[in-house]
Amino acid sequence: NIERSGFREISSALLAPNDVLLIQVNSPVPNHGAVYVGGRGNCIFHHPTGRLSGFQPYGGLWLKHTAKVLRYVGS
């Protein structure tokens, strides 16, 4: 339903603010989502388990386990 919802999968090399990251951590399928914010801190906005939603640098675990990068292009 990704394309029907107006999203298109893109290369991580084209990552830009407002792109959606589908992240796969300890699961056979993507099980976490984040929005790439960018900026000086190369940040994402997401809701990690057991913590409040917030900004965090995009790297380490999140970068390593990114399964797909999606961009909204409209329907």
Side-chain angles (χ1 to χ4, degrees):
N1 291 321
I2 289 171
E3 290 180 3
R4 275 194 340 182
S5 299
F7 289 88
R8 175 174 37 112
E9 186 172 354
I10 64 164
S11 165
S12 60
L14 301 174
L15 188 61
N18 301 315
D19 287 342
V20 175
L21 307 170
L22 297 182
I23 301 166
Q24 185 173 331
V25 181
N26 298 323
S27 173
V29 296
N31 59 347
H32 186 73
V35 176
Y36 181 74
V37 179
R40 285 184 285 180
N42 195 35
C43 288
I44 59 173
F45 186 81
H46 67 135
H47 183 99
T49 303
R51 293 189 291 178
L52 295 174
S53 298
F55 296 94
Q56 191 170 19
Y58 181 50
L61 173 84
W62 305 117
L63 178 61
K64 178 181 176 186
H65 292 285
T66 297
K68 291 181 185 270
V69 178
L70 305 176
R71 179 166 294 156
Y72 185 75
V73 293
S75 50

